[in-house]
């Protein structure tokens, strides 16, 4: 969308907007909408012969809004100075109706139930997501300034589908792209101080749960969903070390279960379980079965598509922790024969020696020269010790995940990625 205007035209628009709000026209319009909503709500209740109870009990609600943000919300948010930067006319604090997007509304006692004009049609919801991905994200490829905005607005999109109980192919297509947005964010924004990765993982899991239910509905109606295998694979990897994920996979139709991307996801799931090290010293019995190194090789393999690798990256700290614990138990330390740090970095997909040193230090494992002091012991016990807080990722992985990222985020979100 071209937002450039001649300077004189821009000043004229600014003057008109100042005049509008100086004359309280905005507030008058808002009060007018409040009165209209009260009448509209009563009208709907009367038409459905509901005298007590809620509007949702009257009839299935069908959205009629064809704007990305209903007028009432836009006017209310303007009066409360709650317009986000991507929604404003350039150079102003005023809402641009062509940019403003409905926010997510939390369920709470006392909140009004939505009217039909508050809920967007399926076509409008799809167009809203197009705007978020192709305009907002396209203008911020690093997602640093737009991520929180897009995450909230995509939740609102899913909310409108849920309230209206729309479960058609449009819902599937929209939820698939929203899921990809969360997966891409987990990689690109890793380590960003304003990024709460657990919140994005929560929203991703919620979206994937919805998709699985939608796929089941479509399968019962004998409707084929072309990307079903891709998103079941994401579900499996987003639930690594959760045995329920395998049970979900075992119930899949054969053509989905045997799809290469699903088999690759199950391989990662198996390797993550095999690489689990107990959080206490139980001897060396499990060390030989630790397959953490193979996990990283599998992530790096060409058979692992980009977004599957982005999801697996979320678990790198815990897989590395288990591998380090296993190697400390299996390797007897000898001074002067430390494990080469470059080999250690390659095995566990670290990007630098500094990253290895920082990670190992959290577990009381040191480096000597260019080697890692694996298996160091004091009074017969290994010095490895779990920190009070679990280690977290501090930057996007470049060695294996970044090497696969050869496209702008908007293309990764929009594309039907190779689900071989």
């Amino acid at each position: 969308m071209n937002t450039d205007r001649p300077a004189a035209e821009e000043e004229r628009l600014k003057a008109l907007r100042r005049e509008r709000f100086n004359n309280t026209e905005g507030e008058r319009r808002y009060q007018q909408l409040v009165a209209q909503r009260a009448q509209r709500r009563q009208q709907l209740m009367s038409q459905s012969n509901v005298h007590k109870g809620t509007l949702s009990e009257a009839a299935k609600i069908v959205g009629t809004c064809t704007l990305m943000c209903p007028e009432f919300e836009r006017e209310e948010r303007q009066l409360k100075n709650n317009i986000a930067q991507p929604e404003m006319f350039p150079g102003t604090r005023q809402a641009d109706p062509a940019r403003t997007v409905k926010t997510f509304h939390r369920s709470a006692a006392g909140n009004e139930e939505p009217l039909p004009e508050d809920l967007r049609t399926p076509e409008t919801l799809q167009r809203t997501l197009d705007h978020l991905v192709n305009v907002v994200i396209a203008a911020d490829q690093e997602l640093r300034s737009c991520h929180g905005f897009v995450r909230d607005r995509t939740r609102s999109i899913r909310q409108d589908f849920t309230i209206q109980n729309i479960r058609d192919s449009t819902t599937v297509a929209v939820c698939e792209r929203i899921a990809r947005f969360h997966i891409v964010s987990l990689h690109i924004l890793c380590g960003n101080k304003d990024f709460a990765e657990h919140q994005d993982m929560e929203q991703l899991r919620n979206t994937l749960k919805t998709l699985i239910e939608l796929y089941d509905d479509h399968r019962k109606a004998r409707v084929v969903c072309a990307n079903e295998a891709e998103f079941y694979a994401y579900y499996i990897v987003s639930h690594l070390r959760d045995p329920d994920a395998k049970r979900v996979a075992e119930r899949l139709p054969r053509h989905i279960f045997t799809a290469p991307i699903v088999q690759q996801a199950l391989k990662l799931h198996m390797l993550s379980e095999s690489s689990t090290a107990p959080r206490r010293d139980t001897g060396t019995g499990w060390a030989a079965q630790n397959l953490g190194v193979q996990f990283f090789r599998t992530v790096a393999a060409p058979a692992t598509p980009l977004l599957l690798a982005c999801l697996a990256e979320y678990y790198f700290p815990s897989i590395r922790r288990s591998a380090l614990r296993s190697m400390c138990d299996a390797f007897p330390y000898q001074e002067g024969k430390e494990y080469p740090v470059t080999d250690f970095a390659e095995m566990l997909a670290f990007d630098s020696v500094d990253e290895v040193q920082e990670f190992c230090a959290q577990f009381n494992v040191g480096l000597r020269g260019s080697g890692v002091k694996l298996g160091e012991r004091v009074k017969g016990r290994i010095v490895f010790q779990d920190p009070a807080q679990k280690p977290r990722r501090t930057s996007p992985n470049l060695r294996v995940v970044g090497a696969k990222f050869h496209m702008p985020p908007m293309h990764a979100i929009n594309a039907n990625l190779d689900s071989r």
Side-chain angles (χ1 to χ4, degrees):
M1 180 186 301
N2 184 11
T3 58
D4 294 332
R5 297 187 179 96
E9 176 67 8
E10 185 62 33
E11 286 301 318
R12 187 184 72 81
L13 290 173
K14 288 181 181 179
L16 288 174
R17 288 192 289 272
R18 283 196 297 269
E19 180 181 358
R20 174 190 174 193
F21 285 96
N22 287 340
N23 294 330
T24 69
E25 181 181 334
E27 185 171 356
R28 286 200 300 271
R29 177 57 180 158
Y30 173 71
Q31 294 300 333
Q32 182 183 22
L33 290 171
V34 170
Q36 290 176 355
R37 287 172 65 81
Q39 295 175 359
R40 174 68 168 148
R41 190 177 301 277
Q42 186 58 47
Q43 178 188 28
L44 290 171
M45 298 284 279
S46 299
Q47 289 175 350
S48 301
N49 295 318
V50 177
H51 302 290
K52 294 182 179 181
T54 64
L55 185 60
S56 61
E57 295 171 348
K60 176 185 175 181
I61 189 165
V62 177
T64 60
C65 179
T66 57
L67 300 173
M68 293 195 297
C69 181
E71 182 186 10
F72 175 75
E73 178 183 312
R74 187 180 71 245
E75 294 290 347
E76 183 177 53
R77 287 170 53 204
Q78 182 69 76
L79 289 174
K80 294 180 178 180
N81 293 318
N82 188 23
I83 303 298
Q85 189 277 329
E87 301 174 311
M88 299 174 184
F89 281 109
T92 77
R93 301 290 299 174
Q94 305 304 321
D96 181 347
R99 296 167 179 252
T100 311
V101 182
K102 181 180 176 181
T103 61
F104 173 75
H105 294 265
R106 297 184 181 277
S107 300
N111 285 357
E112 280 190 343
E113 290 182 281
L115 296 170
E117 47 265 45
D118 297 325
L119 298 171
R120 293 161 291 183
T121 65
E123 296 77 13
T124 305
L125 291 167
Q126 192 165 40
R127 177 165 50 84
T128 302
L129 184 59
D130 289 341
H131 170 78
L132 293 173
V133 176
N134 301 334
V135 177
V136 178
I137 291 178
D140 180 21
Q141 298 292 332
E142 295 183 350
L143 306 182
R144 292 183 182 274
S145 61
C146 76
H147 173 266
F149 175 80
V150 175
R151 183 179 63 188
D152 177 85
R153 278 25 176 204
T154 53
R155 287 187 73 184
S156 175
I157 289 173
R158 291 194 289 120
Q159 186 177 51
D160 274 17
F161 275 119
T162 300
I163 292 173
Q164 299 177 76
N165 195 30
I166 301 173
R167 304 176 68 82
D168 59 11
S169 58
T170 300
T171 314
V172 172
V174 167
C175 286
E176 287 177 346
R177 293 166 71 198
I178 291 174
R180 290 191 185 120
F181 159 71
H182 289 299
I183 296 172
V184 167
S185 299
L186 286 171
H187 170 70
I188 292 179
L189 293 173
C190 171
N192 187 296
K193 63 181 179 63
D194 298 321
F195 178 61
E197 62 177 21
H198 65 281
Q199 292 182 3
D200 262 64
M201 178 58 83
E202 179 185 9
Q203 293 307 313
L204 170 63
R205 286 170 175 160
N206 290 341
T207 305
L208 291 172
K209 181 175 181 291
T210 298
L211 277 170
I212 285 179
E213 294 170 354
L214 291 169
Y215 291 146
D216 287 344
D217 289 348
H218 282 67
R219 199 181 305 119
K220 291 173 184 176
R222 300 186 181 279
V223 176
V224 175
C225 296
N227 302 318
E228 188 171 356
E230 175 190 347
F231 287 89
Y232 266 108
Y234 299 155
Y235 178 87
I236 292 166
V237 175
S238 69
H239 292 79
L240 288 188
R241 295 179 171 175
D242 181 350
D244 285 341
K246 287 195 300 184
R247 285 192 279 271
V248 169
E250 289 167 357
R251 294 195 294 267
L252 289 173
R254 181 173 177 79
H255 72 282
I256 300 294
F257 181 82
T258 58
I261 191 171
V262 173
Q263 288 299 302
Q264 195 73 355
L266 288 169
K267 183 177 181 180
L268 289 170
H269 195 282
M270 179 274 293
L271 290 170
S272 72
E273 287 187 320
S274 300
S275 68
T276 302
R279 301 186 72 85
R280 61 184 185 280
D281 186 1
T282 58
T284 61
W286 45 266
Q289 298 181 22
N290 189 289
L291 299 176
V293 174
Q294 187 61 38
F295 177 88
F296 290 103
R297 290 175 181 168
T298 302
V299 174
T304 301
L306 166 63
L307 296 192
L308 206 62
C310 290
L311 258 183
E313 181 186 4
Y314 180 81
Y315 297 93
F316 279 12
S318 63
I319 301 293
R320 286 168 173 163
R321 179 263 168 200
S322 298
L324 177 61
R325 175 70 171 85
S326 178
M327 287 187 281
C328 282
D329 194 77
F331 287 89
Y333 174 67
Q334 296 183 44
E335 188 172 345
K337 294 185 178 181
E338 291 79 14
Y339 198 90
V341 67
T342 52
D343 293 348
F344 186 86
E346 182 178 359
M347 282 195 312
L348 301 185
F350 287 102
D351 288 328
S352 67
V353 172
D354 288 343
E355 189 180 6
V356 171
Q357 186 171 15
E358 180 183 346
F359 184 83
C360 289
Q362 296 180 75
F363 298 92
N364 202 35
V365 176
L367 273 66
R368 182 177 184 270
S370 59
V372 183
K373 297 162 70 174
L374 297 176
E376 185 179 15
R377 285 167 167 76
V378 175
K379 295 183 179 180
R381 295 182 64 85
I382 61 172
V383 299
F384 177 100
Q385 184 176 357
D386 281 308
Q389 294 184 340
K390 294 181 180 180
R392 302 186 60 159
R393 300 180 299 149
T394 57
S395 61
N397 179 267
L398 302 178
R399 183 184 289 266
V400 297
V401 182
K404 296 175 182 282
F405 220 119
H406 304 300
M407 65 182 76
M410 62 174 286
H411 293 323
I413 295 166
N414 286 333
N416 291 328
L417 300 184
D418 184 5
S419 302
R420 291 164 291 178

